[in-house]
Structures are given as C-alpha cells and as structure tokens.
Amino acid sequence: DNYTSSNYPASLTITSLTISATAGLTNTLFLSNAGTTTPLVIQDSLAILSGGALLMTNSSLQVGTTNGGSFILEGTATLSGTNSFAGGVYLGLSTNSFGSLSILNGLDVFTNGYKVIGFYGSGQAVFANGTVQAGDDQSLPNGVFLGVNSGSQGVLSIGGGKFVSPDHLCLGEYAGSTGTLWITGGQLIQTNNYLTTIGDAGAGQLWRSNGQLLTSSMIVGNGPGS
C-alpha cells in the first residue's frame, strides 16, 4: 500500500514472483493504493498459478525489462491504474489450466513479447474501460493470439475503452484451437497494416454487437479445416 511505497520503495524491486495455493485455498498479491510513482518492479517473471490471484487498485506494476520477462496467468488477475509488461504474456499456458484477466480502467502497456490467451490451456480476458496498448511494433516477437495449440481456448471481450494492437491478431492458430473475440463497446484498433486472421488453422469467431473495429486486412478461414 502507500505506506510500503513511501517508506520502503527498495522493497518493491524483486527478481521474480510465483503465487499459487493448494486446492480450496487462495493466495493473493494485493496492491492497494500504493500509487503510480513507485511501481512494484518484477524484473524477470510473474507467475499467478492455480490458487493464486492478483488484485490492483490505484497502484503500478511493471513486469520485465527491456531485456524481456514474462507474465504467466493460470489464476485470476484484476487490474486498474497504470501497468506495464515487457515480455510474453500467457493466459492458460499449460494443459488444462485456466487464466482469467479483468482490466477495469487505466493504462496497460504490453511490449517485447507475444500476448497469448489460451496457449495449451484456456484463457479469458475482459476489458471494460481505459486503454490497452497490446504491443509496440518495435521489437519481435509480437502479436495477439486467442487459442494457439490443439485443445486450447482463448476469449477476449472488449466492452469499452480503447484496445490498440499494432501487431498481428490471430483467432484459432493451430488445428484444434478455438479463439473468440467479443466487441460489445469501445474500440479495437489494428494499426500499421498488420493482418487479422479469424481461424488460421483452428476455429475463430468474431462477434461485434456494438463498438468499433478498425483493421487493415482480414482473413476469415485461412487454412484447410479452419
């Protein structure tokens, strides 16, 4: 909280953090009104595994550096305020895992890595308001993927605010994967002439009942069996 960031700022820089719990229990990292001047800096990796949770209110979190890093979510995370993530972001990384991310407001910036919702497992990201910058178009690898490997499922729901992705957006990467995108408000903006693929070799669905979608080029059903 504010007492920690004001009196012990050096304690807010660590190498890595893993949060999990046995079945029926929950361990939570709670950033409560710590402010945005001194973020919690996790230089290498943040892993929220089964039984783990991340809750942020009026605080700042930085995962990774310009040299990379990773954020693995197989538990739950609720974000508000200012956050930055350098390196790969994986919701539902391992088989049979499930990661759930809710972004309520504020600014979230993702750089220097893939943003994957459903890699081998399943993932869900709900964006309610604020701004998400999902990539920087300056470094590789980059791109947003919903459902990558066989058996994976990825869902992205945009209900408000602005979601900006200057890189490739793919729903259903490989055979047996499923990617679903809901746009019920706000804006999804694809910049810099990158491709949007709805069903690459897997199954992709895009539902837009409100809001705005700006994209340069789109392929629906790209490969055999997609």
Side-chain angles (χ1 to χ4, degrees):
D1 57 16
N2 181 66
Y3 184 84
T4 311
S5 58
S6 298
N7 295 281
Y8 301 98
S11 70
L12 293 176
T13 298
I14 60 177
T15 302
S16 61
L17 177 63
T18 300
I19 303 175
S20 64
T22 55
L25 300 176
T26 301
N27 286 321
T28 303
L29 169 62
F30 184 23
L31 303 180
S32 174
N33 298 302
T36 58
T37 301
T38 305
L40 171 61
V41 178
I42 303 174
Q43 296 172 324
D44 186 11
S45 64
L46 171 62
I48 310 293
L49 305 181
S50 178
L54 169 64
L55 179 61
M56 293 184 59
T57 303
N58 298 320
S59 302
S60 182
L61 172 65
Q62 178 183 328
V63 178
T65 66
T66 55
N67 296 322
S70 63
F71 176 31
I72 298 170
L73 181 60
E74 296 180 352
T76 63
T78 302
L79 307 181
S80 61
T82 303
N83 315 288
S84 62
F85 302 85
V89 177
Y90 301 93
L91 278 64
L93 176 64
S94 56
T95 302
N96 297 324
S97 66
F98 178 74
S100 177
L101 172 64
S102 297
I103 299 177
L104 304 181
N105 54 55
L107 172 64
D108 293 272
V109 178
F110 299 86
T111 60
N112 298 313
Y114 294 121
K115 280 68 64 180
V116 179
I117 304 174
F119 190 75
Y120 285 109
S122 299
Q124 173 181 282
V126 178
F127 176 49
N129 214 330
T131 300
V132 168
Q133 183 73 32
D136 58 1
D137 194 39
Q138 300 298 317
S139 58
L140 295 175
N142 258 317
V144 178
F145 296 85
L146 311 181
V148 173
N149 293 290
S150 180
S152 66
Q153 296 184 5
V155 178
L156 172 61
S157 178
I158 300 173
K162 182 183 294 185
F163 189 103
V164 182
S165 176
D167 306 298
H168 179 50
L169 172 63
C170 180
L171 283 62
E173 174 75 356
Y174 295 117
S177 65
T178 301
T180 304
L181 172 61
W182 290 89
I183 303 175
T184 59
Q187 293 178 305
L188 171 61
I189 303 174
Q190 293 289 110
T191 60
N192 297 333
N193 297 319
Y194 277 87
L195 178 66
T196 297
T197 305
I198 312 298
D200 192 4
Q205 291 183 315
L206 168 62
W207 301 85
R208 190 181 72 85
S209 62
N210 208 330
Q212 188 176 40
L213 171 65
L214 287 81
T215 186
S216 173
S217 54
M218 180 182 291
I219 295 178
V220 181
N222 186 44
S226 64

